[in-house]
Amino acid sequence: SQTIHQWPATLVQPVGSPLSLECTVEGTSNPNLYWYRQAAGRGLQLLFYSIGIDQISSEVPQNLSASRPQDRQFILSSKKLLLSDSGFYLCAWTPAGTDTQYFGPGTRLTVL
Amino acid sequence: QQQVKQSPQSLIVQKGGISIINCAYENTAFDYFPWYQQFPGKGPALLIAIRPDVSEKKEGRFTISFNKSAKQFSLHIMDSQPGDSATYFCAASNGNTPLVFGKGTRLSVIA
């Protein structure tokens, strides 16, 4: 079956520290992958999306970056976190050739 | 042109009533319109979706109504229950671009 994993589930980091969030999809090949951020009580902000390995589009300029080292792995990184980076980070995926998008369980990031 | 406008921002409905959430879009190239349901602390879950070739789709208590000429679509939740209390997002895409999401509607169903 097809599943999506995100880790960690929660993370508390000091300002200026690095960040690495990982997302892995199982049971599919060549999915489209997405990173979203959701501020408390707010909507879904698309940060990055990828249609293949090393094919990543950035939607919002910021101090975050994304990488896709393997077909089903998507990583969100930052060299130095800001207070404004706090939020709920969601990974999502779309099976190749379809529109249906599925979300992961999310990572709650608090930057102090 | 890429925006999807969702209303209302919040909605309070009595148990057993009908919840209605509306969305409007501008891009006539959009051909896929899903609705997502999100509970606090969870990722959004796909609820129901529609394509422009039909005007209505029903799954259980959830119905999407689609008006292509008006470029509007809406979610109806019949016999609303407290367990339906969540945030609902509409979205749209044309298959070649990422989903464009509305800003969400916070639904509270009170007994």
Side-chain angles (χ1 to χ4, degrees):
Chain A
S1 63
Q2 300 164 331
T3 57
I4 180 170
H5 302 280
Q6 271 189 258
W7 61 91
T10 59
L11 189 60
V12 179
Q13 291 284 91
V15 170
S17 63
L19 172 73
S20 181
L21 302 181
E22 189 164 340
C23 170
T24 300
V25 181
E26 295 180 355
T28 187
S29 296
N30 197 30
N32 288 350
L33 297 171
Y34 309 85
W35 278 112
Y36 291 85
R37 177 169 60 199
Q38 188 174 33
R42 303 294 294 275
L44 300 161
Q45 180 188 29
L46 179 64
L47 301 175
F48 301 94
Y49 72 96
S50 172
I51 61 173
I53 293 177
D54 294 330
Q55 295 178 282
I56 299 170
S57 298
S58 174
E59 292 294 301
V60 182
Q62 58 218 326
N63 69 321
L64 299 173
S65 62
S67 62
R68 185 171 177 174
Q70 300 180 40
D71 180 46
R72 292 171 291 169
Q73 184 184 31
F74 206 21
I75 297 172
L76 183 70
S77 303
S78 174
K79 292 182 179 179
K80 287 186 177 181
L81 284 169
L82 306 173
L83 286 174
S84 57
D85 291 323
S86 293
F88 192 43
Y89 287 82
L90 291 154
C91 181
W93 71 284
T94 303
T98 75
D99 294 315
T100 309
Q101 184 167 304
Y102 303 96
F103 284 85
T107 294
R108 174 74 59 191
L109 172 66
T110 303
V111 182
L112 301 175
Chain B
Q1 184 147 11
Q2 282 294 96
Q3 281 187 327
V4 175
K5 296 183 179 180
Q6 184 172 346
S7 63
Q9 191 172 13
S10 62
L11 180 62
I12 300 175
V13 173
Q14 292 279 352
K15 179 182 175 182
I18 303 174
S19 303
I20 302 174
I21 304 170
N22 301 298
C23 284
Y25 63 97
E26 290 294 326
N27 188 346
T28 56
F30 286 152
D31 63 0
Y32 175 67
F33 304 89
W35 284 89
Y36 286 82
Q37 178 189 56
Q38 185 181 28
F39 294 106
K42 306 293 185 183
L46 179 64
L47 194 59
I48 187 172
I50 197 168
R51 295 195 183 273
D53 54 341
V54 296
S55 60
E56 186 175 281
K57 183 174 181 180
K58 184 176 181 179
E59 290 185 3
R61 296 185 293 109
F62 301 92
T63 300
I64 298 180
S65 297
F66 184 80
N67 186 327
K68 187 174 181 179
S69 61
K71 291 184 286 187
Q72 295 176 346
F73 58 110
S74 60
L75 176 69
H76 292 65
I77 306 174
M78 312 300 287
D79 187 27
S80 299
Q81 299 297 313
D84 297 329
S85 297
T87 300
Y88 293 82
F89 293 95
C90 64
S93 76
N94 66 1
N96 294 320
T97 57
L99 286 171
V100 178
F101 283 89
K103 293 186 182 299
T105 296
R106 184 173 295 179
L107 171 66
S108 297
V109 181
I110 57 176

